[in-house]
Amino acid sequence: MYLSLFLFIYSSFLYMLKRFFLLVFIICFNICNAQKPLKEQKETSKDTLRKSTFIKHLGNGYIPTKYFNFDLRYLIKFNQFEGIRTGIGGITNDSFSEKFKINAYSVYGFRDNRFKYSFGGAYRIAKKTNTWLNFTYTDDLQETGSTKFLTDGRAFQFFEPRLLNIDLFHKHITKSVGLQHQIFNTVSSKTEFSVSKIDPTYQYTFVTPDKSLNTFRITMVKASFQWNPFSNYTSSKNGIKETKEGYPKFTLQYSQSIKNTFKSDFNFSKIDFRAIHKILFQDNNFSEITLVSGLASGDIPITHMYHAYPNNIDKETILQRFSVAGLNSFETMYFNEFFSDKFTTIQLKHFLKPFNISEHFKPQLVLISRYAVGNMKQPEKHQNITFSSLEKGYTESGIEINKLIFGFGLSFTYRYGAYHLPDFTDNIALKFTFNISI
């Protein structure tokens, strides 16, 4: 069975490479034949448009077919709990139907020897306001302490650096129904009602005066809003489309767990906020400022607490900790070192103009500084797990030199301030960076 699964994934991967290199060949051929007669040029333009559409799908993480788009997110990944995680998934496209979608995936972890899967569907209620009703059933893993904004929707990266070193996951079986709606041109929303069965993959007990829980159920209602007041939009019968990206952007999400509803064990609430701003300067210099904050109240297990996006493994030497830097993570903060029920992080990045060394070699220097502060009200409720708080404030700064070769670069970060460690080398993170776009 495993061999058949591997051969199927491998053949899908070869199919993807074949389509990609075929695309590169066609584009080069079209460029070399730009002086052909008008009729042939029109046909060439149509082919180029189709290939351009294919590249756009590929950049979004899809291999398109006639009725179904294969999702590259599930092809192959790696983390400390599952080891190699491989599988297949995708979603129907507009050629199949413009009114409803069907999506599914199935993956297998070779270290935990377990299949995970999800399937669901969506029905379009109103095209002009991009209103969809969604249904999903998922049996998978989630990183403990991670928080996702519903309005972020689907995210794709060719390479997910943080995922390589994550080892703290919890199993969850979740049934959800949600509604997506464009309230105004600049305001989109998503609401969701879900019922989850949670089973931590590590030794953990949540203790209350009347009971102790190793596994638990959570019934949750979420409402998320994305506000982009400075972006430009156009409205048509096909819906609302963003034509120019503007900053700052704001995201707000409220979550409420309801005890005793569908056997839910907890009653707690969470408010999460994010603001992203970009400041443009002369000579193609620009700065990015990202603020993320969260507040949880009530009886809440560690699975739904906050971490501060750590990305450092607990090894003795700098070279043993050498890995790949994330996009918005704390590179010197060790995994599972801090958990909070309220926290705020601020990340500042300044991108200098790329060095124009040659046509194909334009590395870019980025200056980075990060700060995190947080606390936990009742840490004694969380048994069999050790962590610290962020009440003193955590700081790190560093530099990145990106796009040195094939999208790879280098990152150097230093940890200082209240959580500076006694051993000097333990405060240093030296890593690869990876930046590529299509």
Side-chain angles (χ1 to χ4, degrees):
M1 180 179 65
Y2 299 158
L3 179 61
S4 299
L5 176 62
F6 174 78
L7 291 174
F8 180 73
I9 298 303
Y10 182 67
S11 62
S12 299
F13 181 66
L14 290 180
Y15 171 76
M16 177 189 71
L17 289 180
K18 180 180 177 182
R19 290 290 298 272
F20 179 71
F21 287 117
L22 177 62
L23 168 62
V24 174
F25 172 78
I26 291 173
I27 291 176
C28 294
F29 181 82
N30 286 338
I31 293 174
C32 294
N33 292 274
Q35 303 301 321
K36 286 187 174 183
L38 181 61
K39 183 177 180 180
E40 293 186 23
Q41 287 188 29
K42 288 183 178 179
E43 292 177 355
T44 301
S45 297
K46 290 181 181 179
D47 289 340
T48 301
L49 180 61
R50 285 195 292 267
K51 300 313 179 248
S52 177
T53 302
F54 177 79
I55 283 186
K56 183 178 179 181
H57 279 296
L58 187 64
N60 290 328
Y62 288 114
I63 296 292
T65 62
K66 186 174 182 180
Y67 297 115
F68 189 81
N69 294 342
F70 287 96
D71 196 330
L72 298 178
R73 292 181 302 171
Y74 307 111
L75 188 60
I76 188 165
K77 291 183 179 180
F78 181 89
N79 61 66
Q80 296 298 313
F81 181 76
E82 294 174 285
I84 295 175
R85 172 187 168 108
T86 184
I88 193 168
I91 186 170
T92 57
N93 53 40
D94 288 346
S95 298
F96 179 82
S97 175
E98 294 185 358
K99 291 186 177 180
F100 65 90
K101 300 176 182 178
I102 300 172
N103 61 84
Y105 72 81
S106 179
V107 296
Y108 182 78
F110 283 87
R111 182 171 292 173
D112 66 339
N113 298 316
R114 180 173 174 263
F115 277 99
K116 299 92 180 174
Y117 62 92
S118 177
F119 59 86
Y123 178 76
R124 175 180 272 162
I125 299 174
K127 194 172 187 179
K128 189 174 182 180
T129 56
N130 196 32
T131 304
W132 290 83
L133 184 64
N134 306 290
F135 307 89
T136 306
Y137 181 96
T138 302
D139 183 345
D140 205 342
L141 299 174
Q142 184 172 333
E143 181 190 0
T144 287
S146 61
T147 297
K148 297 180 180 179
F149 291 93
L150 293 178
T151 48
D152 286 350
R154 180 184 182 278
F156 171 74
Q157 294 174 252
F158 282 97
F159 184 64
E160 297 183 53
R162 279 195 74 252
L163 186 60
L164 293 173
N165 298 316
I166 299 173
D167 62 354
L168 208 64
F169 291 92
H170 55 269
K171 302 175 186 176
H172 72 102
I173 299 176
T174 300
K175 306 163 192 174
S176 66
V177 56
L179 184 69
Q180 172 184 329
H181 179 65
Q182 193 83 22
I183 301 174
F184 306 109
N185 283 4
T186 58
V187 181
S188 60
S189 69
K190 279 190 176 182
T191 55
E192 181 184 85
F193 176 82
S194 63
V195 178
S196 300
K197 182 179 179 181
I198 310 294
D199 183 8
T201 62
Y202 45 91
Q203 293 294 322
Y204 172 72
T205 303
F206 183 84
V207 178
T208 65
D210 55 341
K211 60 182 176 180
S212 299
L213 296 171
N214 303 108
T215 63
F216 34 87
R217 296 177 181 269
I218 294 178
T219 299
M220 184 86 75
V221 177
K222 293 183 180 179
S224 186
F225 303 91
Q226 179 67 45
W227 182 37
N228 303 335
F230 299 99
S231 293
N232 293 336
Y233 295 84
T234 58
S235 299
S236 67
K237 63 179 181 180
N238 294 323
I240 299 171
K241 183 179 180 181
E242 186 180 25
T243 56
K244 183 180 178 182
E245 193 175 38
Y247 291 89
K249 297 182 175 183
F250 305 97
T251 311
L252 179 67
Q253 181 166 285
Y254 177 76
S255 307
Q256 179 65 55
S257 175
I258 309 170
K259 191 173 182 179
N260 297 326
T261 301
F262 294 100
K263 301 180 181 180
S264 177
D265 294 302
F266 295 103
N267 186 67
F268 62 83
S269 62
K270 297 176 67 176
I271 298 177
D272 301 296
F273 174 77
R274 182 183 63 201
I276 303 174
H277 188 43
K278 181 182 289 187
I279 304 172
L280 302 176
F281 301 97
Q282 294 180 348
D283 299 326
N284 294 325
N285 294 304
F286 67 94
S287 295
E288 284 185 354
I289 305 171
T290 303
L291 183 147
V292 180
S293 186
L295 173 64
S297 60
D299 281 338
I300 177 170
I302 199 74
T303 54
H304 289 64
M305 289 289 187
Y306 300 105
H307 60 45
Y309 315 101
N311 192 33
N312 203 14
I313 54 178
D314 190 10
K315 299 290 185 179
E316 186 175 353
T317 67
I318 296 174
L319 290 181
Q320 287 177 323
R321 298 193 297 270
F322 190 83
S323 58
V324 185
L327 296 178
N328 292 293
S329 52
F330 282 75
E331 302 305 325
T332 62
M333 185 183 294
Y334 294 96
F335 280 95
N336 315 321
E337 185 177 4
F338 301 98
F339 284 98
S340 307
D341 57 19
K342 51 181 174 292
F343 86 116
T344 297
T345 65
I346 300 175
Q347 302 196 39
L348 308 174
K349 291 185 178 182
H350 183 69
F351 295 76
L352 293 162
K353 180 181 178 180
F355 300 106
N356 192 15
I357 298 175
S358 70
E359 183 180 355
H360 301 291
F361 184 53
K362 298 180 180 180
Q364 185 177 34
L365 179 65
V366 185
L367 309 177
I368 299 172
S369 187
R370 301 184 179 97
Y371 177 79
V373 63
N375 206 345
M376 183 173 290
K377 192 174 181 180
Q378 294 178 302
E380 66 277 3
K381 288 187 175 182
H382 310 281
Q383 301 293 315
N384 303 322
I385 186 170
T386 303
F387 57 88
S388 301
S389 74
L390 285 166
E391 59 185 358
K392 297 178 182 178
Y394 186 101
T395 48
E396 69 172 28
S397 295
I399 61 171
E400 291 180 357
I401 305 177
N402 296 323
K403 301 179 182 178
L404 290 173
I405 182 171
F406 302 124
F408 284 96
L410 289 173
S411 165
F412 175 86
T413 316
Y414 183 70
R415 167 176 177 162
Y416 58 97
Y419 293 101
H420 182 270
L421 298 173
D423 191 335
F424 176 77
T425 58
D426 289 342
N427 299 285
I428 296 174
L430 179 65
K431 303 181 182 183
F432 276 128
T433 65
F434 184 73
N435 295 271
I436 190 171
S437 59
I438 291 184

